[in-house]
Amino acid sequence: MSEGPVRGQRRPAAFRLDDPDLAEVRESLLDDLEPAADEAHEAVEMIVHPARRGIRWGALAAATGGMLVSLAIGLSIDRLIRDLFARADWLGWLALGLAGLFVVAVLAMVGRELLGIARLKRLARLRLAADKAAESNARTDADRAVAGLLAHFAGRADTAKGRRMVAQHAAEIMDGRDLLILAERDLVRPLDERARAIISGTARRVSVVTAVSPRAFMDIAYVLWESLRLIRRLSTLYGGRPGTFGMVRLTKAVFTHLAVTATIAVGDTVLQQVLGHGLAARLSARFGEGVVNGLMSARIGLAAMDVCRPLPFIKEERPRLKDLASGLVTGGEREALQQLR
């Protein structure tokens, strides 16, 4: 006498990850989760003109406390150098030299941070100028935007061919918008292809690593580290290359853009709809968490691409979240399940 399945359990069943009946629902929900590329203007504006909110007491306390600590350290170093000179001249000169090197290193770090912020602002100003030129279709605005773009990428070997093609054909174009399309096609499109590969690779890596990770806090730390690394890599690709403080400003702009245009969190219910009505429950729970994390990383990458790209998407097609998510499900599943075995 055979026994039926225990109540609450599901009979074994076969299914396909690319079931066409689920494609329409999956694509619709992924479109809702995808950051809107045409709403990145305000996030870019935040980089050039960060919001001012009166007196920030926390920042004031940190600044004054840091100055007091710096004065205390300076007095201690001065006392140390005087004591070493009293003991032996060579010890005093050695300490004085080390102090000088320390000051030079601090100044170099400050200069590098200021240079990183300047590069980031220059990239943001290029984007704002290109947005204005694309909206007005004025040739003078487009000329300034494209000239700034060529100067921004000057000296980079990977953009030499594109810069040469833009310079050769710019005089043949009449409309400002068409000139931006030329620069987008010949100069920015190769960078877009590399950016898509970076985003896809990061999302796949996050999906696999977090699927096999044994601890939740390790998942969080790894996703955070990969997200910051992804934002920095995309900014460097498009010529931003921020320092530590510039990275803070850029990350704030990226997450502001992501929060305004789409929700940041991806819950299990949405994931089930994206993957196909309970598919996450049919697969291993760890693989489902990996897909969630990979999808999150892909969305952060698309938002960072919107903010860091020096031109708006005019004629070129922006990478779609549904294409990246499809790669996570079809390709990431094999890698994750092989690791789980």
Side-chain angles (χ1 to χ4, degrees):
M1 179 177 180
S2 61
E3 297 182 358
V6 179
R7 179 175 298 179
Q9 293 185 353
R10 185 184 294 111
R11 289 180 179 275
F15 62 93
R16 292 180 58 86
L17 295 175
D18 56 351
D19 188 349
D21 296 335
L22 305 175
E24 184 175 353
V25 175
R26 181 169 59 243
E27 292 184 5
S28 176
L29 287 167
L30 284 173
D31 288 339
D32 293 338
L33 292 173
E34 185 169 342
D38 56 353
E39 297 184 11
H41 184 89
E42 293 184 2
V44 178
E45 186 74 29
M46 288 178 54
I47 298 176
V48 181
H49 305 292
R52 305 292 182 183
R53 297 182 179 179
I55 299 177
R56 300 175 59 184
W57 296 107
L60 180 61
T64 54
M67 292 176 64
L68 288 174
V69 172
S70 299
L71 288 174
I73 294 175
L75 290 174
S76 300
I77 293 176
D78 179 71
R79 189 179 303 111
L80 174 64
I81 293 175
R82 290 177 183 275
D83 292 341
L84 291 176
F85 266 114
R87 176 167 298 187
D89 287 345
W90 70 271
L91 287 176
W93 287 112
L94 176 61
L96 192 61
L98 293 176
L101 290 176
F102 174 76
V103 172
V104 170
V106 170
L107 292 177
M109 293 172 60
V110 172
R112 185 176 62 181
E113 292 296 329
L114 294 176
L115 184 60
I117 293 177
R119 282 194 299 261
L120 191 62
K121 284 187 174 182
R122 181 177 60 186
L123 182 62
R125 290 192 181 98
L126 283 176
R127 173 59 185 271
L128 296 177
D131 287 344
K132 178 182 177 182
E135 183 178 358
S136 65
N137 197 26
R139 178 57 192 258
T140 54
D141 293 340
D143 283 337
R144 284 194 293 266
V146 172
L149 191 65
L150 293 176
H152 176 70
F153 288 114
R156 285 184 51 170
D158 56 342
T159 63
K161 181 179 178 181
R163 286 185 282 111
R164 184 172 62 252
M165 295 179 66
V166 171
Q168 288 177 352
H169 299 288
E172 305 171 5
I173 297 177
M174 302 297 295
D175 294 335
R177 188 177 180 88
D178 291 339
L179 181 60
L180 293 177
I181 291 175
L182 173 68
E184 183 183 30
R185 183 194 67 189
D186 294 338
L187 186 56
V188 181
R189 182 169 62 181
L191 302 179
D192 291 341
E193 294 174 355
R194 293 167 58 185
R196 175 170 182 164
I198 291 173
I199 297 172
S200 179
T202 299
R204 180 72 61 81
R205 186 164 54 250
V206 167
S207 177
V208 174
V209 171
T210 56
V212 300
S213 175
R215 294 289 184 270
F217 77 91
M218 295 177 62
D219 294 350
I220 296 173
Y222 184 75
V223 171
L224 179 60
W225 181 77
E226 281 287 359
S227 298
L228 295 177
R229 183 168 174 261
L230 174 61
I231 294 173
R232 180 181 291 277
R233 291 180 67 188
L234 292 176
S235 176
T236 302
L237 175 65
Y238 289 113
R241 206 164 80 248
T244 302
F245 292 101
M247 186 65 186
V248 172
R249 184 176 298 187
L250 175 60
T251 303
K252 182 179 179 181
V254 169
F255 278 92
T256 299
H257 173 50
L258 189 62
V260 168
T261 58
T263 57
I264 294 180
V266 181
D268 182 68
T269 302
V270 176
L271 174 67
Q272 291 181 5
Q273 295 293 330
V274 168
L275 298 181
H277 295 297
L279 178 60
R282 301 176 193 176
L283 295 173
S284 96
R286 292 165 66 185
F287 169 65
E289 293 173 0
V291 173
V292 170
N293 294 327
L295 186 59
M296 173 74 72
S297 299
R299 296 176 66 229
I300 292 173
L302 291 179
M305 186 177 181
D306 293 337
V307 175
C308 297
R309 196 174 191 263
L311 291 178
F313 287 95
I314 305 174
K315 194 72 172 179
E316 295 296 321
E317 184 177 356
R318 177 178 179 262
R320 303 300 303 273
L321 183 61
K322 61 185 179 182
D323 299 331
L324 299 174
S326 176
L328 288 177
V329 175
T330 57
E333 179 214 14
R334 301 188 187 96
E335 299 179 15
L337 293 183
Q338 286 176 0
Q339 295 292 333
L340 289 173
R341 290 171 185 171

